[in-house]
Amino acid sequence: MNSSSGKSYMSTASSSVIWKAGGDVVADQFPAGLRVLVVDDDPTCLMILEKMLKACQYNVTKCNRAETALSMLRENRNGFDIVISDVHMPDMDGFKLLEHIGLEMDLPVIMMSADDGKNVVMKGVTHGACDYLIKPVRIEALKNIWQHVVRKRKNEWKDFEQSGSVEEGDRQPKQSEDADYSSSANEGNWKSSKRRKDDEDENDERDDTSTLKKPRVVWSVELHQQFVAAVNQLGIEKAVPKKILELMNVPGLARENVASHLQKYRLYLRRLSGVSQHPSNLNNSFMNPQDATFGPLDLQALAATGQLPAQSLATLQAAGLGRSTAKSGIPMPLVDQRNIFSFENPKLRFGEAQQHVNNNKQMNLLHGIPTTMEPKQLAGLHHTAQSMGNMNMPVLSHGSQSSQNNPLLMQMAQPQARGQMLNDSTVGLAPRLLSPMGQPMLSNGMATNVSTRNGVPENIRAPSYNPVSQTSSMLNFPMNHTSELPGNSFPLVSTPGISSLAPKVAFQEDVNSEIKGSVGFMPSYDIFNELTQHKPQNWELQNVGMMFNTSQHSNSLRGNLDHTQSVLVQQGFSTGQNRNSTVISKAMFSAGDSTGHVNAQNGNQHLNSLFVDNTVRVKSERVADAAPANLYPDHFGREDLMSALLKQQDVIAPAENNDFDFDGYSIDNIPV
Amino acid sequence: MERNPMRRQLASMRKSLFDQGYLDEQFMELEQLLDDANPNFVEEVVTLYYRDSARLILNLDRALERRPLDFSKLDGLMHQFKGSSSSIGAKKVKAESTLFREYCKSGNAEGCMRTFQQLKKEYATLRKKLETYFQLARQIGPMESANRPK
């Protein structure tokens, strides 16, 4: 398997960096060593693909059954960077596998088929595939698949940042880029499908994200609330898109929108539960996405089961946010989770009612995005870790948040218009970095609204500030943040996590842009393009911000660059804070990156899963590191980060190899 | 030395396979994957293809014997077969597969059956030609095969 390769493309963004430190130049060799899982029931094609991928210097694992592939992925979440799957398989439909992967692992998935009909290709898009290859596949088409990994990470990262200004300008270029990215065979298809998408289907409510070419359903706060309410009503286990759609009764909303949103949401929940619980969550969250028992809003229960994420969300949302967090009985881990949730709804924590209100807003945005978390983490990583005592918490939160957010974001973002996404994603992603960031994002991609979010940003900070939050008050986390966090808008940057903030800001923008597109992961090409574009801009900011904290920066930078998301997540964990952010961001990006491509759904999912994974992992590992800064500096020098960042800026696609390990954010690798 | 005429023969055999439309560029893609570690890669893939697709051919035969014809099933089977065939660059076989699917979509039973017979012929012809080709290539030696003109 891929993981057998010496270099572990650790999921953590920092891994690439870390590896370097370890003497492994995996990162530098990117995309060489990219761990690819290829699934196809046709042995001839499988053999050829394997050979071709090896010729591209990728680490290939082949599989002729979808079930086997899924279990491989589940067993080794961070063992792969990207999945290539055939559409027609005897034991499971390729799209179903795509959904699973998106939901559970949040990896970029490329579909392939001899069928080049528009409908099939469109299906790939709607299910979140980040690309679609027509058979027979040529090696040229495979040479560039790494871009999806980068893009995904980038998008994730972006979500963090959520720069309120997701600009169309960003998107536009992205779009064209996306087009370029598509395998040559599919270019025509993609473009035409893109156009068609715009005209037809699901994404009708485009958000303010303006130039979004593809109309996407924008999951506004209200819409998301409706969604969550419907899900809670049905019970997370039984929540199927069709029923949710019926319950929501929103005209113009398609089942597919709901489906992708649900996916993200699930991932988010999973992340939440997984993240905070970290010990338990890690396993739980990932393993049992379905476990999330929505029943009791009780966070405790949730947290305990690791299902917290899902539940937390549900609870949070359903319970009016305030509740969930308060559930106190919840063990710390829960708290984390809750915090995560809280972050999402920073407000929630505070005063349930108010929180709720606020949170809702925020939450909605954040849904997928533990917005608060991220920023907090980044910013307060240091603090939180320390103060929290349970660094895990914050870190986790971050991670979880990120992941959570991501899932949410992803889910939310997916179907929706980017604008929405931004909000969400920013929230989620951004939170990691900056809570404020997330907020602005929420506002609809207005990254600038950080201030509004105050709660959010603060939350982020909260971790650092509130040691208390850790314990049961994880919930408070977000809440506290509000109070604590001084600046809503990016001013957070000023907070200790400045470094993180800075990047955050950047992230936000990115996130925003991401969100716009699709929470960062959204496949919408437009979005990604824009986001990607956006990113570079943010990067600048980040760089600036980063400057503040070397350690933090490195992390942040890393995150920004590649995996904003993952980096953030990871970073949060590993370095304890700074790194985490970076890591998270990286993770995020990874997730996000892929979205650039058609991965609307998957992207998000992927991201989410990535996040979840990463966050969770990171947390456990990293949390220990109270001193975030130290973690990474060794590995990747600022220079790396900066250069990576800068590079990112210039080239959205070429992820800096160094910075993120595309492996998928395995947090584990993060050297603690 | 003695290899030269053989090499020339191999080269011309190869050329005619392309010229006559038996193979397309995809086959060249496979050839490019040859390396020292896998000098007979193309042959291995083709062998695998024939082994695996034999199963599909059998299933198609059976499905075509049923009455009435299940076009969607036939289409599905042929889709798989087409994917396989196209990945080794079997041009004529692929063309017949496409035609077969068209008939399936329009529910033309006779067209399907006729096309399938034709497909099997092309399939068998290609196999023979490739077997000869690979035999010669092996005689020339792995290195030579790897260096065969592209």
Side-chain angles (χ1 to χ4, degrees), chain A residues 41-45 47-48 51-52 55 86 88 113-115 135-140, chain B residues 26 29-30 33 35 38 41 44-45 48-49 52 79-80 83-84 86-88 94 101:
Chain A
D41 65 312
D42 183 334
T44 312
C45 291
M47 184 176 183
I48 295 172
K51 194 78 175 60
M52 283 180 173
D86 188 34
H88 300 273
S113 176
D115 197 347
K135 286 183 177 178
V137 178
R138 289 175 305 114
I139 193 170
E140 288 75 30
Chain B
Q26 188 62 20
E29 288 273 325
L30 299 187
L33 296 171
D35 54 24
N38 302 89
F41 176 71
E44 288 163 16
V45 174
L48 179 60
Y49 162 74
D52 183 64
H79 171 84
Q80 289 180 50
S84 258
S86 65
S87 61
I88 67 154
K94 181 182 174 182
R101 293 189 76 197

Side-chain angles (χ1 to χ4, degrees), chain A residues 557-624:
Chain A
L557 280 177
R558 292 246 6 177
N560 292 333
L561 294 182
D562 334 314
H563 311 286
T564 354
Q565 302 181 347
S566 50
V567 174
L568 287 179
V569 176
Q570 299 186 345
Q571 298 253 337
F573 299 123
S574 34
T575 51
Q577 328 281 300
N578 297 328
R579 296 243 192 198
N580 292 334
S581 340
T582 330
V583 173
I584 296 180
S585 7
K586 274 208 349 198
M588 304 229 349
F589 278 114
S590 324
D593 275 336
S594 25
T595 32
H597 250 286
V598 185
N599 229 340
Q601 303 189 3
N602 292 324
N604 290 327
Q605 293 173 4
H606 289 308
L607 275 178
N608 289 334
S609 36
L610 277 175
F611 272 104
V612 181
D613 266 337
N614 296 329
T615 46
V616 178
R617 297 231 197 142
V618 174
K619 289 203 198 170
S620 41
E621 304 193 352
R622 287 297 167 205
V623 177

Side-chain angles (χ1 to χ4, degrees), chain A residues 315-469:
Chain A
T315 358
L316 283 176
Q317 321 226 346
L321 314 181
R323 265 214 329 209
S324 42
T325 53
K327 292 321 179 174
S328 58
I330 305 180
M332 278 295 272
L334 271 185
V335 177
D336 284 333
Q337 290 190 349
R338 279 192 288 164
N339 281 330
I340 301 179
F341 284 99
S342 329
F343 283 117
E344 313 215 340
N345 304 306
K347 299 316 184 105
L348 282 183
R349 298 291 176 133
F350 289 92
E352 321 206 351
Q354 323 177 258
Q355 300 291 337
H356 190 72
V357 176
N358 296 329
N359 290 330
N360 287 338
K361 286 286 175 180
Q362 297 188 337
M363 286 240 347
N364 292 326
L365 293 176
L366 296 179
H367 271 314
I369 323 177
T371 48
T372 48
M373 293 295 288
E374 315 288 25
K376 280 211 287 197
Q377 292 199 344
L378 293 181
L381 277 181
H382 291 287
H383 299 281
T384 42
Q386 299 161 13
S387 55
M388 303 289 295
N390 308 315
M391 285 302 301
N392 299 323
M393 303 270 283
V395 174
L396 289 176
S397 334
H398 278 300
S400 47
Q401 289 210 344
S402 345
S403 36
Q404 293 180 358
N405 286 335
N406 294 323
L408 275 186
L409 285 180
M410 310 259 296
Q411 306 192 350
M412 302 210 351
Q414 278 200 349
Q416 345 243 321
R418 296 216 245 171
Q420 215 39 101
M421 308 276 289
L422 286 178
N423 292 333
D424 293 332
S425 22
T426 38
V427 177
L429 295 176
R432 289 222 274 214
L433 297 178
L434 317 168
S435 39
M437 308 241 345
Q439 307 209 345
M441 300 287 299
L442 295 180
S443 357
N444 275 3
M446 320 277 278
T448 54
N449 296 326
V450 177
S451 46
T452 54
R453 288 281 174 204
N454 296 326
V456 177
E458 310 224 330
N459 291 335
I460 303 184
R461 276 355 182 97
S464 40
Y465 299 81
N466 305 316
V468 182
S469 29

